[in-house]
Amino acid sequence: KPFNKDTINQYIKMKKILLLFLFMISIINSYSQTFDLSILTSGKWNVTSPVDPDCTTKYYFDNSYCYVDVYFTEFKRFYSKTRKYYLSDTKPSSFDKSKVGKNKNGKYLIMLNETKWKGNIIEIMLCFKIINVAQNKLTMVNCYIKENGFYEKQTFEWTKIIE
């Protein structure tokens, strides 16, 4: 039985609605995953989740470096660390030092943790997929995979410190 004109028109109308719906979802999805560097550099960030009862951790950024301040409450000791970082649209397999200070937006926050041990510098890449960006809150999931194993995926929340 051939299709009548009304059936064809309904099909075309439904197809247009579906395409519009898919287009809107893709726009919303791509917008929610894009992260602008100016959000990071706009102030200090306090790690609010997961909660560590033994310390408080704060991050602040310039265009190339992440500054980490950790205060160990029980020992009343303060620890500071500086890390190179960049933003990326894709999850890298290794830290690309040539991208430090260059990318102004991305879906991933990539940091380089450099530690001196027995006279050697050990470099470990830290990778966070940015899940949600609100005015004063940043939600991420770690995505770094080690060669000899893996880290359990964990959600992190940073809250902007209002001073």
Side-chain angles (χ1 to χ4, degrees), residues 29-73:
N29 190 30
S30 66
Y31 179 77
S32 67
Q33 293 177 351
T34 301
F35 181 73
D36 190 83
L37 177 67
S38 65
I39 294 170
L40 277 182
T41 59
S42 67
K44 290 186 178 183
W45 297 87
N46 189 34
V47 176
T48 52
S49 178
V51 174
D52 188 338
D54 299 324
C55 67
T56 58
T57 304
K58 293 179 176 39
Y59 288 86
Y60 53 103
F61 297 80
D62 63 20
N63 288 335
S64 301
Y65 293 95
C66 166
Y67 305 94
V68 185
D69 292 338
V70 182
Y71 180 72
F72 295 93
T73 51

Side-chain angles (χ1 to χ4, degrees), residues 30-128:
S30 66
Y31 179 77
S32 67
Q33 293 177 351
T34 301
F35 181 73
D36 190 83
L37 177 67
S38 65
I39 294 170
L40 277 182
T41 59
S42 67
K44 290 186 178 183
W45 297 87
N46 189 34
V47 176
T48 52
S49 178
V51 174
D52 188 338
D54 299 324
C55 67
T56 58
T57 304
K58 293 179 176 39
Y59 288 86
Y60 53 103
F61 297 80
D62 63 20
N63 288 335
S64 301
Y65 293 95
C66 166
Y67 305 94
V68 185
D69 292 338
V70 182
Y71 180 72
F72 295 93
T73 51
E74 183 179 342
F75 303 110
K76 295 182 175 48
R77 298 258 187 232
F78 186 75
Y79 171 79
S80 288
K81 184 89 173 156
T82 302
R83 296 177 178 156
K84 295 173 187 159
Y85 82 96
Y86 62 91
L87 297 175
S88 177
D89 284 328
T90 58
K91 182 171 74 170
S93 57
S94 62
F95 191 87
D96 185 350
K97 292 179 183 177
S98 71
K99 292 184 179 180
V100 172
K102 298 206 173 101
N103 293 355
K104 301 299 180 202
N105 53 48
K107 298 176 184 178
Y108 294 89
L109 172 59
I110 315 299
M111 293 187 216
L112 183 63
N113 187 21
E114 297 175 297
T115 305
K116 195 170 186 178
W117 189 66
K118 293 186 178 181
N120 296 319
I121 295 178
I122 299 169
E123 295 182 339
I124 298 173
M125 181 182 74
L126 304 172
C127 175
F128 299 94

